[in-house]
Amino acid sequence: MTSETGGRVHLRPITAGDRDAFVAAARASAELHHPWVWAPTTPEGFAEYLARFDQVTAVGFVVCLGGTGAMAGFVSISRIERGSYQKGVLGYGAFVPHQGRGHMTEGVGLAVRHGFGRLGLHRLEADIQPGNAASLRLAEKVGLRREGFSPGLIRIDGVWRDHERWAITNGMVY
């Protein structure tokens, strides 16, 4: 898997060598992520997270700043289905202090380009909690459209939470 480069950030595959920096960034960002997204805050959690990315049904990336290489956040494409679907599900989260600066919008845009280009997918989806205004704005900025609402879709912190369903197909903008 190769990297994708944008104007201010680049997207590169997450590796075992990212463990310490990723865990530290996730710990520092725990309040920002809760209750919207989970990121591993222990070495054991990171090992489990990394193991999900088999390069067939899931791929994972870190969003890095162009000048320093610092991790601004993370993006994944999971639940990749082939055959008639050719789709995957986007997941993403920013790290403090890089949130709200457009780095993740650019990074998720690169992941969308990667999904449609290198992975050959037709459709990418994102499930977003209605109260997660930052994530909803990001989805809209990268070209996803709201397709519906699902009550109690995903269990987070022991609670079944409502989600909006957003998606983009490769014919929409790419």
Side-chain angles (χ1 to χ4, degrees):
M1 186 169 33
T2 58
S3 298
E4 299 282 345
T5 302
R8 298 183 307 147
V9 303
H10 68 275
L11 198 66
R12 67 167 175 76
I14 190 167
T15 68
D18 293 320
R19 183 191 71 193
D20 293 343
F22 192 103
V23 166
R27 282 182 184 157
S29 305
E31 194 170 309
L32 175 67
H33 294 157
H34 189 274
W36 316 119
V37 66
W38 175 84
T41 57
T42 65
E44 298 78 19
F46 181 82
E48 291 172 14
Y49 179 72
L50 188 63
R52 296 178 185 176
F53 304 122
D54 62 6
Q55 310 311 310
V56 176
T57 62
V59 295
F61 303 96
V62 287
V63 178
C64 299
L65 300 181
T68 65
M71 286 184 208
F74 56 96
V75 183
S76 64
I77 303 174
S78 62
R79 298 191 333 233
I80 296 172
E81 293 184 52
R82 296 299 182 175
S84 299
Y85 282 106
Q86 296 297 329
K87 71 176 182 175
V89 176
L90 288 167
Y92 49 86
F95 288 140
V96 171
H98 306 289
Q99 76 278 14
R101 297 181 181 182
H103 301 305
M104 288 305 299
T105 300
E106 188 174 347
V108 172
L110 292 170
V112 168
R113 185 171 78 188
H114 182 86
F116 291 151
R118 296 185 195 279
L119 297 179
L121 299 174
H122 170 71
R123 178 181 174 87
L124 291 166
E125 302 172 348
D127 299 315
I128 305 167
Q129 292 179 57
N132 190 344
S135 187
L136 293 170
R137 278 192 309 275
L138 186 153
E140 191 169 23
K141 285 179 183 177
V142 299
L144 280 78
R145 67 174 176 247
R146 185 181 187 272
E147 293 187 332
F149 179 81
S150 297
L153 180 66
I154 302 172
R155 188 175 174 184
I156 300 172
D157 287 339
V159 177
W160 289 99
R161 299 186 189 270
D162 301 344
H163 282 73
E164 293 185 15
R165 294 184 325 277
W166 289 69
I168 186 171
T169 59
N170 64 5
M172 289 171 61
V173 291
Y174 292 90

